[in-house]
Amino acid sequence: MTNRHSPWTRTGGALLTAAALVPAAAAWYVFAVRMPDDTERSRSYAAAATCPAESPGAAVEECVRTVPFTVGGTVLRPKDHLATLDGAPFWSGTVRFGNPGPLLEDLKPGDRVDGTVWRGRVMRLERAGVAQASVDRPREEAQLVAGLGTAVALQAVLAAALGAVLLSGRPLTLALARSLFFWTLLSCVVPAALAFWAGLPWWTVPAAAVPTALVAAEAVRRLNAGKAPGEPQGSAADRLPA
C-alpha cells in the first residue's frame, strides 16, 4: 500500500520553511549592517578630537564638544528615561537614557550639567563628578550583538530543516520542535554572555555557539527518539494550519 503524505504535514512544512526567511533576513541585517555600523561608530568616537573652543558649533560635528546645558525637565518612567536640555547655540533637545541612574534621577529643572556632544547627539552628561552615558553613546557590545545574529541565523536554519522534515512526510512532535528551538537559543546566549564578560573577540561567539547548538540538537534528538507523534505532547504537523 502506498504511504501518502498528509496535506497538513506538507502545508505546515512549506509554511515553516517560508517562515525561516524572517530570521535569515534578521541575521543578515545584524552581521552585514548593524555590526559594521557599531564598529565604525565606536572607532570614530574613540578617535574623535576635541573641538577647538573658538570654533562655531555646527549641527553635526566629527569632533567632540563639551557643552554646558540647562536642564528643562526629566521623564522617569519604566520605559522612558529622558532629559530635556538647553545648550544653545550648540545643541538643544531631548536626550534618552537606558536607566534613571546614577545622574538622571537626581536632575531638576534649572540644574546645570556638562554634556559631551558628537555628531549632533549628546553622548554623556556630567554634574559634580557624577556622569551618565546616553543611549546614543557607542558601546563595546559586539559580543552580545554577535550572539543575537548567531541565534537568529541558527533559528532560520532550524526552521528550514524542520520544514523539510514535514515536507518529506515524516512526523515531528511539537515537544521536539520546542526543545530544539530552546536549546539552540540557549547555545547562543551563554557564549555571548561569557564572551562579553571576559572581553573576548566577537567572533568567538559564533565559533562556540554553532558547535554547541549542533551537540545540543543531537542530544535532544536522541532523547526524543522513539517517541510517537501521537503522544500527549502533540505533533507539530497536526498543529500547523492547512
Side-chain angles (χ1 to χ4, degrees):
M1 184 180 222
T2 304
N3 185 19
R4 301 181 60 186
H5 293 170
S6 166
W8 290 78
T9 299
R10 298 178 69 88
T11 302
L15 290 174
L16 191 58
T17 302
L21 295 175
V22 176
W28 174 86
Y29 172 79
V30 169
F31 285 111
V33 179
R34 171 71 183 275
M35 290 193 67
D37 283 353
D38 287 352
T39 300
E40 185 277 331
R41 290 188 77 248
S42 294
R43 290 176 178 174
S44 297
Y45 181 61
T50 302
C51 297
E54 66 279 3
S55 65
V60 178
E61 298 176 305
E62 287 297 325
C63 56
V64 176
R65 185 182 295 275
T66 300
V67 177
F69 287 105
T70 300
V71 178
T74 60
V75 174
L76 299 173
R77 291 196 292 259
K79 294 184 178 181
D80 287 315
H81 304 99
L82 312 171
T84 302
L85 307 174
D86 181 12
F90 296 107
W91 196 93
S92 295
T94 301
V95 183
R96 183 177 297 274
F97 296 86
N99 49 67
L103 177 62
L104 181 62
E105 58 190 355
D106 292 330
L107 295 180
K108 303 293 186 296
D111 284 347
R112 300 284 290 177
V113 294
D114 291 325
T116 301
V117 180
W118 178 68
R119 290 186 176 180
R121 295 183 179 274
V122 175
M123 301 290 106
R124 68 194 291 269
L125 295 180
E126 183 175 356
R127 177 173 180 264
V130 179
Q132 184 172 351
S134 74
V135 297
D136 291 315
R137 182 178 180 179
R139 290 169 171 79
E140 294 294 336
E141 298 177 344
Q143 302 91 337
L144 302 181
V145 178
L148 173 63
T150 305
V152 292
L154 290 177
Q155 299 286 3
V157 173
L158 181 57
L162 295 181
V165 169
L166 293 177
L167 280 171
S168 71
R170 286 178 288 174
L172 174 67
T173 63
L174 192 60
L176 173 59
R178 280 199 301 255
S179 295
L180 287 171
F181 278 108
F182 171 77
W183 286 104
T184 298
L185 179 62
L186 190 63
S187 297
C188 298
V189 170
V190 173
L194 291 176
F196 178 74
W197 176 76
L200 300 175
W202 71 265
W203 54 263
T204 61
V205 177
V210 172
T212 301
L214 291 175
V215 171
E218 177 61 17
V220 170
R221 187 193 68 80
R222 287 177 178 273
L223 287 174
N224 285 267
K227 290 186 179 181
E231 290 182 353
Q233 67 265 28
S235 168
D238 294 337
R239 299 291 185 87
L240 292 172

